[in-house]
Structure formats: C-alpha cells, structure tokens
Amino acid sequence: MKKVSFAEFGGPDVLHLIDAEEPHAGPGRIRIAVRAAGVNPADWRVREGQVLAAHPVELPAGVGLDASGVVDEVGEGVEGVEIGDHVFGEGSSTYAEFTVLSAWARMPEGLSFEEAAGYPSVVETALRILREVGVRPGQTLLVSGASGGVGSAVLQIARDRGITVIGTAGAANQDYLRSLGALATTYGEGWVERVRQFGPVDAALDLAGSGVIRELVELTGDPHKVISIADLDAPRFGVRFSGVAGSVPDALAEAVGLITRGKLHIPVEKTYTLAEAAAAHADSQAGHTRGRRVIVI
Ligand SMILES: NC(=O)c1ccc[n+]([C@@H]2O[C@H](COP(=O)([O-])OP(=O)(O)OC[C@H]3O[C@@H](n4cnc5c(N)ncnc54)[C@H](OP(=O)(O)O)[C@@H]3O)[C@@H](O)[C@H]2O)c1
C-alpha cells in the first residue's frame, strides 16, 4: 500500500510517499480502507521531533492521527462494527491507504468522508478543555485563536450548552466566527480593550499559543479560569496546560450526537492528495487554517 512516511526529523520535505506493508487489526482494533485523513498541528510537531517526550517516535515513522474510511478487518473481541461500515476515528499513520483504528464510531448520515476525518481529535480536545476550564451555561467564555480546528469545535459546543463565546481571529475570519454564533474581534494591538467592550469574561481558552496568557488571566481575574493547549509557558502564570487526551470513544459519541442534531459542522478549508502531504503540512504550519485541512485518499 501507499503511505506517507519520514525517516528523519525536519521540515515538510522529509515526508515521502512510500510503498509499505499493510497493517492488520489486532485484538480490540479495526482496520479501515482510508478515504480521508485529518491534518493536525500535532502531525507536523511530531515530524519536527518537537514533542518526543510525550510522543516517542521510532524512525522511519508514519504520520497522522485522524481518519475516516470503510471497515475491512475487525480484530478479535470487537463488537458492534462490521466490514463495510463507514467509520471515523483515531489511530496512527493515517496518511495511508489502510490504517488501524484504536477508537471509532459510525459516521453520521449525510457526512462525507472528507468532513468526517476532520472531527475526532479536535472534538476530543474541545470537550476536554471545556470540562477542565469549568465554564457553565449562562457564562461568557473567551477563546483566543477561535477559527482553527479546535476553535471551530469549541465555539459550537459551547453555544449548544448556552455559553456566550467571544472569539479572536484574524480579520478574514470575523464573519466566520459570527457564523458559528460567537462575538468576534481581531487579535493584535488593542485586542484586550476590544474584548472588554463585550462585557465580563468568566473563563478563557488559549488555542493559539500567541503569548497572551497574562492578558487572559487579567480578563478572567483568576489563573484557574484559564486553560492553554498551545503555550508551554502557561504554568509560569499559574495557568494549566492541557495535554493529556480524554476518552476518544466518548468524544466521538458526543460528536455524532451534535452533528446529527445539526449543532456541529467543521468546514474543510482545503483537501490534498497523499502525494501532497508536504504541502498540507506547510499550509497548516503557516498557522491560519479556517476549520480543517484534510488529505483525501
Ligand atoms: N495540548 C493539546 O492537547 C492540543 C490538542 C490539539 C491542538 N493543540 C494545539 O493547539 C493549537 C491549535 O490547534 P488547531 O488544530 O485549532 O490549529 P489550527 O487549525 O492550525 O488553527 C490555528 C488558528 O490560530 C489562529 N491564530 C494564528 N495566529 C494567531 C494569533 N496571534 N492570535 C490568535 N489566533 C491566532 C488562526 O486564526 P486566523 O487564521 O484567523 O489568524 C488559526 O485559525 C496548535 O498549536 C496545536 O498544536 C494542542
């Protein structure tokens, strides 16, 4: 089968499309014929060797966590899924023609493979940080870096829970944030004042890692009301860095419910072929994705 792989840590050009042995589903796993794979910043962080302590990597390595596709092998002990089912979920080396998933759910009616591959890890992250920050219905949540994959999920899930959301994004994404039900303003010079004009903030999430933790603490008045997923310096300000994934099966079940009720839709900004994986990484690393980027097989 064809698979994207890298044999050394480095820039996007270390990615190569190679011929590889097909993986097989061990106990508790399923194999899918991959139809689409989500592109996450974690993919290029691993490729660069940035997060080796949390994600040890043996080279050569495959790339990708999220995928959607058609079940073609069911491992021992797995129940509730059959060959031919359309599923989305998480595994490893998902930029490939076949991959093994460790967590999955049946895709909701009407969702394309391309869209489905964009949900698993961003929904897990969004649900986790909303839980950890402890924001409640009727309160106001500030989201710094709200237009990317995680932000798109956070905004819609929070809105569904009756939470008012203020999001920051670039000028080109203001209407996008409003379309997801958020109050929107731009980041950059004067952003704290612009946020204050919307009223008091009960809790805040830093999704962009753009060096704003001090300001988020100021706006909420309490470091325990702030969570970052992107700024390793956050603990210096008494703010928690959230980096340990919660239950992916639970997140997928919740995603299916939200998508089916029409409360969650994460758009795909651009698709790529397997051979274009390096371009997908370069575009993601530029840091201005609206919604998701997806590799289509
Ligand atoms: N710790 C964890 O468990 C965990 C889990 C998932 C992701 N992450 C990390 O969280 C970050 C976000 O992930 P993602 O998938 O949402 O990324 P993404 O889809 O690439 O989105 C990045 C967003 O950041 C915004 N942005 C860029 N510069 C900004 C600035 N100066 N201020 C505010 N926003 C800015 C961009 O908005 P504009 O285009 O509008 O500029 C873009 O929409 C990544 O660093 C990722 O590695 C961590």
Side-chain angles (χ1 to χ4, degrees), residues 88-124:
F88 63 150
E90 277 193 19
S92 59
S93 300
T94 56
Y95 298 12
E97 289 177 323
F98 294 93
T99 194
V100 170
L101 297 182
S102 50
W104 61 86
R106 268 207 199 83
M107 281 165 46
E109 285 290 311
L111 196 67
S112 67
F113 285 113
E114 180 182 310
E115 290 171 307
Y119 287 85
S121 48
V122 296
V123 173
E124 180 283 314

PDB file of all heavy atoms in Angstrom, residues 88-124:
ATOM      1  N   PHE A  88     -15.370   6.876  11.472  1.00  0.00           N
ATOM      2  CA  PHE A  88     -14.310   7.874  11.654  1.00  0.00           C
ATOM      3  C   PHE A  88     -13.723   7.677  13.039  1.00  0.00           C
ATOM      4  O   PHE A  88     -14.405   7.176  13.944  1.00  0.00           O
ATOM      5  CB  PHE A  88     -14.794   9.303  11.406  1.00  0.00           C
ATOM      6  CG  PHE A  88     -15.875   9.848  12.330  1.00  0.00           C
ATOM      7  CD1 PHE A  88     -15.926  11.205  12.612  1.00  0.00           C
ATOM      8  CD2 PHE A  88     -16.859   9.048  12.885  1.00  0.00           C
ATOM      9  CE1 PHE A  88     -16.908  11.760  13.430  1.00  0.00           C
ATOM     10  CE2 PHE A  88     -17.855   9.577  13.713  1.00  0.00           C
ATOM     11  CZ  PHE A  88     -17.866  10.926  13.986  1.00  0.00           C
ATOM     12  N   GLY A  89     -12.440   8.015  13.177  1.00  0.00           N
ATOM     13  CA  GLY A  89     -11.835   7.785  14.482  1.00  0.00           C
ATOM     14  C   GLY A  89     -10.357   8.106  14.502  1.00  0.00           C
ATOM     15  O   GLY A  89      -9.858   8.835  13.652  1.00  0.00           O
ATOM     16  N   GLU A  90      -9.688   7.535  15.531  1.00  0.00           N
ATOM     17  CA  GLU A  90      -8.267   7.816  15.711  1.00  0.00           C
ATOM     18  C   GLU A  90      -7.427   6.548  15.657  1.00  0.00           C
ATOM     19  O   GLU A  90      -7.849   5.485  16.119  1.00  0.00           O
ATOM     20  CB  GLU A  90      -8.033   8.482  17.083  1.00  0.00           C
ATOM     21  CG  GLU A  90      -8.292   9.967  17.058  1.00  0.00           C
ATOM     22  CD  GLU A  90      -7.764  10.670  18.300  1.00  0.00           C
ATOM     23  OE1 GLU A  90      -6.897  10.119  19.031  1.00  0.00           O
ATOM     24  OE2 GLU A  90      -8.239  11.780  18.556  1.00  0.00           O
ATOM     25  N   GLY A  91      -6.232   6.697  15.114  1.00  0.00           N
ATOM     26  CA  GLY A  91      -5.259   5.608  15.089  1.00  0.00           C
ATOM     27  C   GLY A  91      -3.886   6.217  14.970  1.00  0.00           C
ATOM     28  O   GLY A  91      -3.614   7.261  15.562  1.00  0.00           O
ATOM     29  N   SER A  92      -3.024   5.579  14.173  1.00  0.00           N
ATOM     30  CA  SER A  92      -1.721   6.180  13.889  1.00  0.00           C
ATOM     31  C   SER A  92      -1.391   5.887  12.434  1.00  0.00           C
ATOM     32  O   SER A  92      -1.975   4.986  11.831  1.00  0.00           O
ATOM     33  CB  SER A  92      -0.647   5.609  14.817  1.00  0.00           C
ATOM     34  OG  SER A  92      -0.579   4.218  14.642  1.00  0.00           O
ATOM     35  N   SER A  93      -0.474   6.662  11.855  1.00  0.00           N
ATOM     36  CA  SER A  93      -0.108   6.514  10.436  1.00  0.00           C
ATOM     37  C   SER A  93      -1.360   6.504   9.551  1.00  0.00           C
ATOM     38  O   SER A  93      -1.541   5.600   8.723  1.00  0.00           O
ATOM     39  CB  SER A  93       0.675   5.220  10.215  1.00  0.00           C
ATOM     40  OG  SER A  93       1.838   5.212  10.976  1.00  0.00           O
ATOM     41  N   THR A  94      -2.191   7.519   9.734  1.00  0.00           N
ATOM     42  CA  THR A  94      -3.463   7.542   8.993  1.00  0.00           C
ATOM     43  C   THR A  94      -3.317   8.135   7.588  1.00  0.00           C
ATOM     44  O   THR A  94      -4.237   8.018   6.790  1.00  0.00           O
ATOM     45  CB  THR A  94      -4.544   8.328   9.768  1.00  0.00           C
ATOM     46  OG1 THR A  94      -4.054   9.646  10.033  1.00  0.00           O
ATOM     47  CG2 THR A  94      -4.903   7.643  11.060  1.00  0.00           C
ATOM     48  N   TYR A  95      -2.152   8.772   7.282  1.00  0.00           N
ATOM     49  CA  TYR A  95      -1.927   9.256   5.907  1.00  0.00           C
ATOM     50  C   TYR A  95      -1.482   8.025   5.095  1.00  0.00           C
ATOM     51  O   TYR A  95      -0.295   7.857   4.797  1.00  0.00           O
ATOM     52  CB  TYR A  95      -0.821  10.292   5.824  1.00  0.00           C
ATOM     53  CG  TYR A  95      -0.942  11.607   6.539  1.00  0.00           C
ATOM     54  CD1 TYR A  95      -1.927  11.874   7.490  1.00  0.00           C
ATOM     55  CD2 TYR A  95      -0.031  12.629   6.265  1.00  0.00           C
ATOM     56  CE1 TYR A  95      -1.979  13.105   8.137  1.00  0.00           C
ATOM     57  CE2 TYR A  95      -0.078  13.855   6.898  1.00  0.00           C
ATOM     58  CZ  TYR A  95      -1.051  14.082   7.838  1.00  0.00           C
ATOM     59  OH  TYR A  95      -1.085  15.305   8.476  1.00  0.00           O
ATOM     60  N   ALA A  96      -2.414   7.157   4.780  1.00  0.00           N
ATOM     61  CA  ALA A  96      -2.066   5.882   4.142  1.00  0.00           C
ATOM     62  C   ALA A  96      -3.323   5.270   3.524  1.00  0.00           C
ATOM     63  O   ALA A  96      -4.429   5.714   3.825  1.00  0.00           O
ATOM     64  CB  ALA A  96      -1.499   4.923   5.191  1.00  0.00           C
ATOM     65  N   GLU A  97      -3.127   4.254   2.679  1.00  0.00           N
ATOM     66  CA  GLU A  97      -4.304   3.623   2.061  1.00  0.00           C
ATOM     67  C   GLU A  97      -5.070   2.743   3.053  1.00  0.00           C
ATOM     68  O   GLU A  97      -6.275   2.556   2.918  1.00  0.00           O
ATOM     69  CB  GLU A  97      -3.866   2.824   0.829  1.00  0.00           C
ATOM     70  CG  GLU A  97      -3.441   3.752  -0.305  1.00  0.00           C
ATOM     71  CD  GLU A  97      -2.930   3.034  -1.527  1.00  0.00           C
ATOM     72  OE1 GLU A  97      -2.244   1.991  -1.372  1.00  0.00           O
ATOM     73  OE2 GLU A  97      -3.191   3.509  -2.647  1.00  0.00           O
ATOM     74  N   PHE A  98      -4.349   2.191   4.052  1.00  0.00           N
ATOM     75  CA  PHE A  98      -5.002   1.413   5.112  1.00  0.00           C
ATOM     76  C   PHE A  98      -4.434   1.848   6.454  1.00  0.00           C
ATOM     77  O   PHE A  98      -3.237   2.145   6.549  1.00  0.00           O
ATOM     78  CB  PHE A  98      -4.742  -0.094   4.933  1.00  0.00           C
ATOM     79  CG  PHE A  98      -5.364  -0.653   3.696  1.00  0.00           C
ATOM     80  CD1 PHE A  98      -4.634  -0.733   2.515  1.00  0.00           C
ATOM     81  CD2 PHE A  98      -6.691  -1.081   3.691  1.00  0.00           C
ATOM     82  CE1 PHE A  98      -5.215  -1.228   1.353  1.00  0.00           C
ATOM     83  CE2 PHE A  98      -7.278  -1.574   2.531  1.00  0.00           C
ATOM     84  CZ  PHE A  98      -6.537  -1.639   1.357  1.00  0.00           C
ATOM     85  N   THR A  99      -5.292   1.870   7.481  1.00  0.00           N
ATOM     86  CA  THR A  99      -4.786   2.153   8.822  1.00  0.00           C
ATOM     87  C   THR A  99      -5.595   1.379   9.842  1.00  0.00           C
ATOM     88  O   THR A  99      -6.716   0.930   9.562  1.00  0.00           O
ATOM     89  CB  THR A  99      -4.814   3.671   9.137  1.00  0.00           C
ATOM     90  OG1 THR A  99      -4.030   3.926  10.304  1.00  0.00           O
ATOM     91  CG2 THR A  99      -6.225   4.172   9.411  1.00  0.00           C
ATOM     92  N   VAL A 100      -5.014   1.224  11.026  1.00  0.00           N
ATOM     93  CA  VAL A 100      -5.691   0.535  12.134  1.00  0.00           C
ATOM     94  C   VAL A 100      -6.176   1.601  13.107  1.00  0.00           C
ATOM     95  O   VAL A 100      -5.413   2.487  13.492  1.00  0.00           O
ATOM     96  CB  VAL A 100      -4.715  -0.455  12.811  1.00  0.00           C
ATOM     97  CG1 VAL A 100      -5.305  -0.994  14.107  1.00  0.00           C
ATOM     98  CG2 VAL A 100      -4.385  -1.596  11.854  1.00  0.00           C
ATOM     99  N   LEU A 101      -7.457   1.525  13.481  1.00  0.00           N
ATOM    100  CA  LEU A 101      -8.016   2.498  14.421  1.00  0.00           C
ATOM    101  C   LEU A 101      -8.127   1.880  15.815  1.00  0.00           C
ATOM    102  O   LEU A 101      -8.510   0.714  15.963  1.00  0.00           O
ATOM    103  CB  LEU A 101      -9.408   2.952  13.966  1.00  0.00           C
ATOM    104  CG  LEU A 101      -9.494   3.704  12.630  1.00  0.00           C
ATOM    105  CD1 LEU A 101     -10.940   4.136  12.360  1.00  0.00           C
ATOM    106  CD2 LEU A 101      -8.561   4.910  12.596  1.00  0.00           C
ATOM    107  N   SER A 102      -7.818   2.697  16.836  1.00  0.00           N
ATOM    108  CA  SER A 102      -7.967   2.253  18.224  1.00  0.00           C
ATOM    109  C   SER A 102      -9.277   2.776  18.826  1.00  0.00           C
ATOM    110  O   SER A 102      -9.727   2.301  19.863  1.00  0.00           O
ATOM    111  CB  SER A 102      -6.779   2.738  19.053  1.00  0.00           C
ATOM    112  OG  SER A 102      -6.579   4.116  18.844  1.00  0.00           O
ATOM    113  N   ALA A 103      -9.870   3.796  18.198  1.00  0.00           N
ATOM    114  CA  ALA A 103     -11.168   4.343  18.658  1.00  0.00           C
ATOM    115  C   ALA A 103     -11.933   4.777  17.415  1.00  0.00           C
ATOM    116  O   ALA A 103     -11.348   5.363  16.505  1.00  0.00           O
ATOM    117  CB  ALA A 103     -10.933   5.537  19.575  1.00  0.00           C
ATOM    118  N   TRP A 104     -13.229   4.487  17.379  1.00  0.00           N
ATOM    119  CA  TRP A 104     -14.006   4.807  16.184  1.00  0.00           C
ATOM    120  C   TRP A 104     -15.484   4.906  16.530  1.00  0.00           C
ATOM    121  O   TRP A 104     -15.917   4.488  17.613  1.00  0.00           O
ATOM    122  CB  TRP A 104     -13.813   3.722  15.107  1.00  0.00           C
ATOM    123  CG  TRP A 104     -14.277   2.378  15.584  1.00  0.00           C
ATOM    124  CD1 TRP A 104     -15.540   1.859  15.529  1.00  0.00           C
ATOM    125  CD2 TRP A 104     -13.481   1.398  16.273  1.00  0.00           C
ATOM    126  NE1 TRP A 104     -15.580   0.626  16.132  1.00  0.00           N
ATOM    127  CE2 TRP A 104     -14.331   0.318  16.586  1.00  0.00           C
ATOM    128  CE3 TRP A 104     -12.133   1.331  16.649  1.00  0.00           C
ATOM    129  CZ2 TRP A 104     -13.880  -0.812  17.263  1.00  0.00           C
ATOM    130  CZ3 TRP A 104     -11.682   0.198  17.321  1.00  0.00           C
ATOM    131  CH2 TRP A 104     -12.556  -0.849  17.616  1.00  0.00           C
ATOM    132  N   ALA A 105     -16.223   5.488  15.586  1.00  0.00           N
ATOM    133  CA  ALA A 105     -17.693   5.496  15.673  1.00  0.00           C
ATOM    134  C   ALA A 105     -18.215   5.461  14.243  1.00  0.00           C
ATOM    135  O   ALA A 105     -17.503   5.860  13.310  1.00  0.00           O
ATOM    136  CB  ALA A 105     -18.187   6.759  16.373  1.00  0.00           C
ATOM    137  N   ARG A 106     -19.464   4.996  14.080  1.00  0.00           N
ATOM    138  CA  ARG A 106     -20.078   5.037  12.743  1.00  0.00           C
ATOM    139  C   ARG A 106     -20.303   6.481  12.343  1.00  0.00           C
ATOM    140  O   ARG A 106     -20.726   7.299  13.171  1.00  0.00           O
ATOM    141  CB  ARG A 106     -21.432   4.322  12.766  1.00  0.00           C
ATOM    142  CG  ARG A 106     -21.301   2.905  12.417  1.00  0.00           C
ATOM    143  CD  ARG A 106     -22.598   2.367  11.789  1.00  0.00           C
ATOM    144  NE  ARG A 106     -22.507   0.928  11.918  1.00  0.00           N
ATOM    145  CZ  ARG A 106     -22.837   0.279  13.007  1.00  0.00           C
ATOM    146  NH1 ARG A 106     -23.351   0.914  14.023  1.00  0.00           N
ATOM    147  NH2 ARG A 106     -22.680  -1.018  13.081  1.00  0.00           N
ATOM    148  N   MET A 107     -20.035   6.809  11.095  1.00  0.00           N
ATOM    149  CA  MET A 107     -20.229   8.182  10.626  1.00  0.00           C
ATOM    150  C   MET A 107     -21.711   8.522  10.581  1.00  0.00           C
ATOM    151  O   MET A 107     -22.521   7.711  10.139  1.00  0.00           O
ATOM    152  CB  MET A 107     -19.635   8.338   9.214  1.00  0.00           C
ATOM    153  CG  MET A 107     -18.141   8.509   9.211  1.00  0.00           C
ATOM    154  SD  MET A 107     -17.385   8.259   7.585  1.00  0.00           S
ATOM    155  CE  MET A 107     -18.445   9.200   6.503  1.00  0.00           C
ATOM    156  N   PRO A 108     -22.073   9.739  11.015  1.00  0.00           N
ATOM    157  CA  PRO A 108     -23.484  10.142  10.919  1.00  0.00           C
ATOM    158  C   PRO A 108     -23.925  10.226   9.459  1.00  0.00           C
ATOM    159  O   PRO A 108     -23.109  10.517   8.587  1.00  0.00           O
ATOM    160  CB  PRO A 108     -23.492  11.549  11.544  1.00  0.00           C
ATOM    161  CG  PRO A 108     -22.200  11.719  12.240  1.00  0.00           C
ATOM    162  CD  PRO A 108     -21.228  10.762  11.637  1.00  0.00           C
ATOM    163  N   GLU A 109     -25.211   9.973   9.223  1.00  0.00           N
ATOM    164  CA  GLU A 109     -25.816  10.111   7.888  1.00  0.00           C
ATOM    165  C   GLU A 109     -25.482  11.472   7.290  1.00  0.00           C
ATOM    166  O   GLU A 109     -25.548  12.479   8.004  1.00  0.00           O
ATOM    167  CB  GLU A 109     -27.355  10.074   7.999  1.00  0.00           C
ATOM    168  CG  GLU A 109     -27.966   8.720   8.254  1.00  0.00           C
ATOM    169  CD  GLU A 109     -27.846   7.818   7.049  1.00  0.00           C
ATOM    170  OE1 GLU A 109     -28.179   8.258   5.936  1.00  0.00           O
ATOM    171  OE2 GLU A 109     -27.387   6.675   7.249  1.00  0.00           O
ATOM    172  N   GLY A 110     -25.152  11.486   6.027  1.00  0.00           N
ATOM    173  CA  GLY A 110     -25.010  12.766   5.327  1.00  0.00           C
ATOM    174  C   GLY A 110     -23.639  13.400   5.445  1.00  0.00           C
ATOM    175  O   GLY A 110     -23.363  14.401   4.793  1.00  0.00           O
ATOM    176  N   LEU A 111     -22.769  12.835   6.300  1.00  0.00           N
ATOM    177  CA  LEU A 111     -21.428  13.410   6.457  1.00  0.00           C
ATOM    178  C   LEU A 111     -20.507  12.756   5.424  1.00  0.00           C
ATOM    179  O   LEU A 111     -20.500  11.535   5.283  1.00  0.00           O
ATOM    180  CB  LEU A 111     -20.927  13.096   7.875  1.00  0.00           C
ATOM    181  CG  LEU A 111     -19.742  13.892   8.386  1.00  0.00           C
ATOM    182  CD1 LEU A 111     -20.118  15.373   8.569  1.00  0.00           C
ATOM    183  CD2 LEU A 111     -19.241  13.317   9.709  1.00  0.00           C
ATOM    184  N   SER A 112     -19.714  13.561   4.714  1.00  0.00           N
ATOM    185  CA  SER A 112     -18.787  12.985   3.734  1.00  0.00           C
ATOM    186  C   SER A 112     -17.555  12.443   4.468  1.00  0.00           C
ATOM    187  O   SER A 112     -17.268  12.848   5.600  1.00  0.00           O
ATOM    188  CB  SER A 112     -18.363  14.051   2.727  1.00  0.00           C
ATOM    189  OG  SER A 112     -17.589  15.034   3.381  1.00  0.00           O
ATOM    190  N   PHE A 113     -16.816  11.543   3.807  1.00  0.00           N
ATOM    191  CA  PHE A 113     -15.570  11.026   4.396  1.00  0.00           C
ATOM    192  C   PHE A 113     -14.614  12.188   4.673  1.00  0.00           C
ATOM    193  O   PHE A 113     -13.924  12.222   5.692  1.00  0.00           O
ATOM    194  CB  PHE A 113     -14.899  10.030   3.440  1.00  0.00           C
ATOM    195  CG  PHE A 113     -15.574   8.690   3.397  1.00  0.00           C
ATOM    196  CD1 PHE A 113     -16.233   8.256   2.257  1.00  0.00           C
ATOM    197  CD2 PHE A 113     -15.535   7.843   4.497  1.00  0.00           C
ATOM    198  CE1 PHE A 113     -16.839   7.015   2.216  1.00  0.00           C
ATOM    199  CE2 PHE A 113     -16.141   6.593   4.475  1.00  0.00           C
ATOM    200  CZ  PHE A 113     -16.798   6.183   3.319  1.00  0.00           C
ATOM    201  N   GLU A 114     -14.581  13.114   3.710  1.00  0.00           N
ATOM    202  CA  GLU A 114     -13.675  14.266   3.792  1.00  0.00           C
ATOM    203  C   GLU A 114     -13.960  15.102   5.059  1.00  0.00           C
ATOM    204  O   GLU A 114     -13.059  15.442   5.819  1.00  0.00           O
ATOM    205  CB  GLU A 114     -13.939  15.060   2.518  1.00  0.00           C
ATOM    206  CG  GLU A 114     -13.188  16.295   2.301  1.00  0.00           C
ATOM    207  CD  GLU A 114     -13.669  16.936   0.977  1.00  0.00           C
ATOM    208  OE1 GLU A 114     -13.737  16.243  -0.054  1.00  0.00           O
ATOM    209  OE2 GLU A 114     -13.991  18.128   1.018  1.00  0.00           O
ATOM    210  N   GLU A 115     -15.235  15.383   5.303  1.00  0.00           N
ATOM    211  CA  GLU A 115     -15.596  16.141   6.505  1.00  0.00           C
ATOM    212  C   GLU A 115     -15.321  15.314   7.760  1.00  0.00           C
ATOM    213  O   GLU A 115     -14.776  15.821   8.748  1.00  0.00           O
ATOM    214  CB  GLU A 115     -17.082  16.502   6.486  1.00  0.00           C
ATOM    215  CG  GLU A 115     -17.470  17.532   5.453  1.00  0.00           C
ATOM    216  CD  GLU A 115     -18.990  17.660   5.371  1.00  0.00           C
ATOM    217  OE1 GLU A 115     -19.680  16.636   5.203  1.00  0.00           O
ATOM    218  OE2 GLU A 115     -19.464  18.792   5.474  1.00  0.00           O
ATOM    219  N   ALA A 116     -15.710  14.020   7.711  1.00  0.00           N
ATOM    220  CA  ALA A 116     -15.634  13.175   8.915  1.00  0.00           C
ATOM    221  C   ALA A 116     -14.214  13.099   9.461  1.00  0.00           C
ATOM    222  O   ALA A 116     -14.005  13.085  10.680  1.00  0.00           O
ATOM    223  CB  ALA A 116     -16.158  11.776   8.597  1.00  0.00           C
ATOM    224  N   ALA A 117     -13.220  13.078   8.567  1.00  0.00           N
ATOM    225  CA  ALA A 117     -11.826  12.942   9.007  1.00  0.00           C
ATOM    226  C   ALA A 117     -11.368  14.160   9.812  1.00  0.00           C
ATOM    227  O   ALA A 117     -10.359  14.105  10.512  1.00  0.00           O
ATOM    228  CB  ALA A 117     -10.920  12.758   7.797  1.00  0.00           C
ATOM    229  N   GLY A 118     -12.125  15.244   9.746  1.00  0.00           N
ATOM    230  CA  GLY A 118     -11.733  16.469  10.453  1.00  0.00           C
ATOM    231  C   GLY A 118     -12.175  16.528  11.901  1.00  0.00           C
ATOM    232  O   GLY A 118     -11.755  17.438  12.628  1.00  0.00           O
ATOM    233  N   TYR A 119     -13.001  15.588  12.355  1.00  0.00           N
ATOM    234  CA  TYR A 119     -13.601  15.743  13.686  1.00  0.00           C
ATOM    235  C   TYR A 119     -12.865  15.112  14.880  1.00  0.00           C
ATOM    236  O   TYR A 119     -12.816  15.723  15.950  1.00  0.00           O
ATOM    237  CB  TYR A 119     -15.037  15.185  13.686  1.00  0.00           C
ATOM    238  CG  TYR A 119     -16.017  16.070  12.952  1.00  0.00           C
ATOM    239  CD1 TYR A 119     -16.178  15.979  11.579  1.00  0.00           C
ATOM    240  CD2 TYR A 119     -16.773  17.020  13.635  1.00  0.00           C
ATOM    241  CE1 TYR A 119     -17.062  16.801  10.894  1.00  0.00           C
ATOM    242  CE2 TYR A 119     -17.664  17.841  12.964  1.00  0.00           C
ATOM    243  CZ  TYR A 119     -17.807  17.730  11.591  1.00  0.00           C
ATOM    244  OH  TYR A 119     -18.679  18.544  10.925  1.00  0.00           O
ATOM    245  N   PRO A 120     -12.356  13.867  14.772  1.00  0.00           N
ATOM    246  CA  PRO A 120     -12.020  13.147  16.014  1.00  0.00           C
ATOM    247  C   PRO A 120     -11.152  13.905  17.012  1.00  0.00           C
ATOM    248  O   PRO A 120     -11.600  14.165  18.135  1.00  0.00           O
ATOM    249  CB  PRO A 120     -11.340  11.870  15.489  1.00  0.00           C
ATOM    250  CG  PRO A 120     -11.996  11.652  14.151  1.00  0.00           C
ATOM    251  CD  PRO A 120     -12.169  13.025  13.572  1.00  0.00           C
ATOM    252  N   SER A 121      -9.926  14.272  16.672  1.00  0.00           N
ATOM    253  CA  SER A 121      -9.085  14.823  17.745  1.00  0.00           C
ATOM    254  C   SER A 121      -9.485  16.235  18.143  1.00  0.00           C
ATOM    255  O   SER A 121      -9.311  16.606  19.303  1.00  0.00           O
ATOM    256  CB  SER A 121      -7.594  14.725  17.423  1.00  0.00           C
ATOM    257  OG  SER A 121      -7.324  15.166  16.159  1.00  0.00           O
ATOM    258  N   VAL A 122     -10.028  17.040  17.207  1.00  0.00           N
ATOM    259  CA  VAL A 122     -10.410  18.392  17.651  1.00  0.00           C
ATOM    260  C   VAL A 122     -11.626  18.355  18.576  1.00  0.00           C
ATOM    261  O   VAL A 122     -11.728  19.170  19.505  1.00  0.00           O
ATOM    262  CB  VAL A 122     -10.626  19.401  16.481  1.00  0.00           C
ATOM    263  CG1 VAL A 122      -9.340  19.631  15.713  1.00  0.00           C
ATOM    264  CG2 VAL A 122     -11.752  19.018  15.571  1.00  0.00           C
ATOM    265  N   VAL A 123     -12.539  17.410  18.342  1.00  0.00           N
ATOM    266  CA  VAL A 123     -13.708  17.325  19.240  1.00  0.00           C
ATOM    267  C   VAL A 123     -13.270  16.797  20.613  1.00  0.00           C
ATOM    268  O   VAL A 123     -13.693  17.319  21.649  1.00  0.00           O
ATOM    269  CB  VAL A 123     -14.835  16.463  18.633  1.00  0.00           C
ATOM    270  CG1 VAL A 123     -15.951  16.246  19.648  1.00  0.00           C
ATOM    271  CG2 VAL A 123     -15.386  17.129  17.375  1.00  0.00           C
ATOM    272  N   GLU A 124     -12.385  15.803  20.623  1.00  0.00           N
ATOM    273  CA  GLU A 124     -11.867  15.323  21.926  1.00  0.00           C
ATOM    274  C   GLU A 124     -11.236  16.489  22.693  1.00  0.00           C
ATOM    275  O   GLU A 124     -11.496  16.675  23.881  1.00  0.00           O
ATOM    276  CB  GLU A 124     -10.847  14.183  21.706  1.00  0.00           C
ATOM    277  CG  GLU A 124     -10.248  13.615  22.987  1.00  0.00           C
ATOM    278  CD  GLU A 124      -9.164  14.501  23.591  1.00  0.00           C
ATOM    279  OE1 GLU A 124      -8.271  14.979  22.857  1.00  0.00           O
ATOM    280  OE2 GLU A 124      -9.221  14.760  24.815  1.00  0.00           O
TER     281      GLU A 124
END
